[in-house]
Amino acid sequence: MKILLTGGAGYVGSACLRWLLHHGHDPIAYDNLVEGNVAAVPDASNRLIVGDIAESDCLAQVLREHRIEVVMHFAALASVPDSIADPESYYRANVLGTKSVLDAMRTAGVRKILFSSTAATYGFHSEMPLREDSPQLPETPYGTTKLAAEWLIKDYTRAYGLGYTLLRYFNASGADFDGEHGEDRRHESHLIPLIFQVALGRREKLLIFGGDYPTSDGTCVRDYVHTEDLAQAHQLAAESVEPGMGRTYNMGSGTGVTVLEVLRACEEAVGRPIPHEIVGRRSGDPGVLIASPEKIVRELGWSPRFSDIREIVLTAWKWHQRHPRGYRQDGT
Ligand code: UFG
């Protein structure tokens, strides 16, 4: 299939693009390169179009010219703390950006969309694991803007005959097996890359946000899902989405891991202790987030390969060792 990936040069988008390429599809990235990296896209001169999702007419033209059948909409801002500090940017990128993508699809007659949604749309819950029908009560602008984008997609689908699959990621993590592609943002706020930046001497220590949560060791519990497993889910969803259809899936491993357990797994991978300090809680952080992935396993036959955090961080460590300054070390 001819598939366009907005944000296809970013962390999850480019992992999906490479996966689709290896599984018989014809993917193209559309990315403004604010967070994305040219080097993350194989054959970038043919497979990367530099553009912004805000430019709906340009995007519509690209969709038409390349006879796109499915859009995978990854492009977004995705840091919980940044969204609290600067909600305007998050509404512009995540809500207006999604509207612009949907309008381009209508103009070009593309009727199938996959959307990167998030566990942050659920907010704070005491009962785990979360199912797709658990109440969505987001607590941060990141979560509210992603939920608003879900509503936009559902309303457009009803009125204009689209078909959608919403994939609600829990904590995307890991890197590809040969250590060539991994997580690299200009402004990093995510746990695993920050731990490895400390291990590589780029930061003095890891600050652990909160040691007083009601969890086994007092630190937050998250559900880490490998980007290769996310990529397989996108392939399965793209191959089965049809106009008129609307589906939603949680994308997690079903396993909860504390921040200290992630740190220990990283120390094991690196082979030495990693300096850290427990400080106050970070605003907007739920204590525990764990997915029930049962629905996508049952309905699409998703078969994730990674359920152990130690394996996930080993792939990430390989990437960080091989590219200690990320993609930009070679000017790309
Ligand atoms: N953490 C620290 N220190 C840091 C960074 C993170 O202790 O320097 C902790 C956080 O408090 C949290 C855990 O590590 O408990 C994971 O934090 P991340 O920032 O890596 O990820 P989040 O859980 O905040 O957010 C991620 C994705 C979102 C997604 C969300 C769902 O970035 O896109 O998971 O929970 F919506």
Side-chain angles (χ1 to χ4, degrees), residues 70-216:
V70 181
V71 170
M72 294 188 179
H73 179 31
F74 298 93
L77 294 179
S79 158
V80 173
D82 290 356
S83 78
I84 296 171
D86 181 18
E88 191 272 336
S89 300
Y90 275 70
Y91 276 87
R92 186 156 28 88
N94 296 355
V95 182
L96 299 181
T98 299
K99 180 178 178 299
S100 179
V101 170
L102 290 166
D103 289 336
M105 290 174 63
R106 283 188 71 201
T107 305
V110 180
R111 297 177 66 201
K112 302 176 187 177
I113 183 167
L114 269 52
F115 176 62
S116 304
S117 190
T118 166
T121 61
Y122 291 114
F124 293 18
H125 287 261
S126 49
E127 275 187 31
M128 293 291 148
L130 292 164
R131 291 160 33 108
E132 290 77 359
D133 55 5
S134 297
Q136 287 178 289
L137 305 161
E139 292 277 342
T140 64
Y142 176 57
T144 51
T145 56
K146 283 288 190 170
L147 180 56
E150 287 195 2
W151 288 342
L152 263 173
I153 292 168
K154 288 177 180 173
D155 288 341
Y156 268 57
T157 296
R158 253 177 246 122
Y160 309 126
L162 306 183
Y164 70 81
T165 303
L166 310 177
L167 297 165
R168 291 188 188 138
Y169 307 167
F170 283 63
N171 288 60
S173 49
D176 74 341
F177 301 117
D178 56 13
E180 281 309 315
H181 297 287
E183 198 165 6
D184 177 24
R185 298 181 190 84
R186 276 165 185 78
H187 305 290
E188 193 52 77
S189 66
H190 291 83
L191 179 64
I192 296 172
L194 288 177
I195 294 175
F196 287 132
Q197 286 182 11
V198 176
L200 289 164
R202 290 176 61 188
R203 284 174 194 263
E204 190 197 335
K205 61 183 170 188
L206 174 78
L207 298 180
I208 295 180
F209 300 130
D212 58 350
Y213 287 96
T215 60
S216 61

Side-chain angles (χ1 to χ4, degrees), residues 238-288:
E239 289 170 354
S240 54
V241 65
E242 291 299 338
M245 158 195 282
R247 303 180 300 192
T248 302
Y249 296 116
N250 280 343
M251 299 300 322
S253 66
T255 313
V257 183
T258 69
V259 174
L260 278 171
E261 285 166 347
V262 174
L263 179 70
R264 301 290 170 240
C266 293
E267 289 179 328
E268 218 174 279
V270 172
R272 56 178 187 275
I274 295 173
H276 60 276
E277 182 188 343
I278 297 184
V279 295
R281 292 183 179 194
R282 185 173 71 175
S283 169
D285 270 346
V288 183

Side-chain angles (χ1 to χ4, degrees), residues 1-5 17-18 20-21 25-29 47:
M1 286 194 292
K2 300 216 70 165
I3 302 173
L4 182 128
L5 296 83
L17 185 142
R18 295 186 299 271
L20 291 167
L21 204 51
H25 293 293
D26 188 2
I28 292 173
R47 296 210 173 267

